[in-house]
Amino acid sequence: MSTLAVLAAVGASPVLACDLCAVYSAQEAQNSSTGFHVGVAEQFTHFGTLQNDGLEAPGNGEYIDSSVSQIFAGYNFSPRFGVQLNLPVIYREFGSASAHGSESGIGDVSLTGNFQIYRKSTDNFTFVWSALAGVKLPTGDTSWLGQPDFAPGIGGHDLALGSGSFDGLFGTSFSARWKRLFLAGQMQYALRTEGDFQHRYANDWSWAAGPGVYLALQDNYTVALSFTTSGETKGKDTFAGVPDGDSAETIIYVGPEISVTWTDHFSAHVGADLPVSIANSGLQVVPDYRIHAAVTWNF
């Protein structure tokens, strides 16, 4: 059963959305096997619209192009329980009509454990329900958190590679198949703590769900097409306990995804998302689109 590629927050707003992409991508090739698995999940997001309290605002060419590559490796002790380490590698270009810059490096590493709560499988029907929990470690550079805003709508919390905090990650996922039709969904909640420069990213919630159909469903390979509705929401960050008025947002995306698997060893997917609803506080540069892909190899 192919699972959806979900997105969730790892730290700053332009990174919103790649942690679970890696976490759940690994499940695509490990539902019935033990041993090691490795892979990479990539997400590119273009932020090019300036928005003030939910309404488009006149800008001066402000933009962020954010690429987050999650390199992950894990071990399944049994078909029901495994652990995984996720290492984000981040590259960003950003600027306005008058200034430009870039930032790159390692983000905040996360370690998660996944437990399969329930599984039922027959020739025509499959249902899998899983849960995960983990911790995000302060490994990314936080220097931007101590600097003034780069441009209107682009703050230090948007550009920092890490948060400087230890954060908790909690999530659940399900997938159900009847013959060639399936429905899958996931969600994650991130519990944030105060990090460097007395900055605390707000707790955030990410989710995705949608139907799909298997275009090919063979013993040794599958090809699936799905249509996903996903979302992410977070409140206002704080600096020394004072709310940051330019940091809360709730975004809903829709988009297609193609997934393939080969035996129990290989899985891959590629998809695109367009925002259909963006509610934000203050002045922020918000996403225009995002593209995500992942490959996983299970030994």
Side-chain angles (χ1 to χ4, degrees):
M1 164 61 74
S2 174
T3 59
L4 300 173
V6 192
L7 307 181
V10 274
S13 296
V15 187
L16 274 179
C18 205
D19 226 12
L20 278 194
C21 189
V23 171
Y24 287 120
S25 293
Q27 295 179 12
E28 295 180 352
Q30 71 184 62
N31 280 336
S32 61
S33 58
T34 60
F36 289 99
H37 62 269
V38 297
V40 61
E42 165 66 25
Q43 177 170 279
F44 175 83
T45 308
H46 173 69
F47 300 76
T49 299
L50 194 64
Q51 194 163 288
N52 187 23
D53 288 332
L55 299 176
E56 187 171 344
N60 190 33
E62 291 85 1
Y63 75 94
I64 303 174
D65 286 332
S66 175
S67 171
V68 181
S69 301
Q70 289 269 2
I71 302 169
F72 56 89
Y75 185 80
N76 300 318
F77 298 95
S78 73
R80 298 189 66 181
F81 175 70
V83 295
Q84 183 170 295
L85 183 70
N86 307 303
L87 172 66
V89 180
I90 302 170
Y91 177 78
R92 292 200 191 100
E93 291 184 0
F94 48 91
S96 66
S98 58
H100 299 273
S102 64
E103 184 73 27
S104 63
I106 293 172
D108 286 347
V109 169
S110 62
L111 178 64
T112 59
N114 183 78
F115 179 71
Q116 192 176 101
I117 300 171
Y118 179 78
R119 179 182 180 91
K120 180 177 177 61
S121 182
T122 67
D123 288 343
N124 291 325
F125 176 79
T126 305
F127 181 81
V128 180
W129 178 31
S130 299
L132 71 83
V135 62
K136 183 182 70 63
L137 308 175
T139 55
D141 184 4
T142 63
S143 57
W144 271 104
L145 294 176
Q147 300 183 32
D149 290 354
F150 176 81
I154 303 177
H157 64 279
D158 298 312
L159 303 177
L161 302 181
S163 65
S165 61
F166 290 88
D167 301 333
L169 304 174
F170 308 92
T172 186
S173 68
F174 78 91
S175 58
R177 175 189 64 90
W178 180 70
K179 296 184 177 180
R180 287 181 176 266
L181 302 177
F182 65 87
L183 176 68
Q186 299 131 5
M187 62 170 287
Q188 175 185 277
Y189 187 76
L191 185 64
R192 308 296 187 182
T193 63
E194 185 176 287
D196 292 346
F197 302 98
Q198 294 184 292
H199 181 273
R200 181 183 180 275
Y201 285 101
N203 297 342
D204 52 72
W205 177 53
S206 301
W207 57 271
V213 59
Y214 282 100
L215 306 176
L217 187 58
Q218 304 297 325
D219 290 340
N220 61 342
Y221 73 92
T222 67
V223 180
L225 172 65
S226 60
F227 186 81
T228 306
T229 300
S230 59
E232 50 198 38
T233 185
K234 66 184 288 290
K236 294 180 180 179
D237 300 348
T238 59
F239 282 94
V242 178
D244 177 0
D246 299 325
S247 56
E249 60 185 16
T250 297
I251 307 175
I252 297 176
Y253 299 88
V254 296
E257 180 177 296
I258 287 281
S259 303
V260 298
T261 65
W262 177 70
T263 66
D264 289 332
H265 295 289
F266 175 81
S267 69
H269 68 249
V270 61
D273 300 306
L274 294 176
V276 295
S277 175
I278 303 177
N280 70 292
S281 68
L283 192 64
Q284 299 183 49
V285 61
V286 297
D288 295 316
Y289 64 87
R290 66 187 186 189
I291 301 169
H292 52 87
V295 294
T296 305
W297 183 262
N298 199 47
F299 294 93

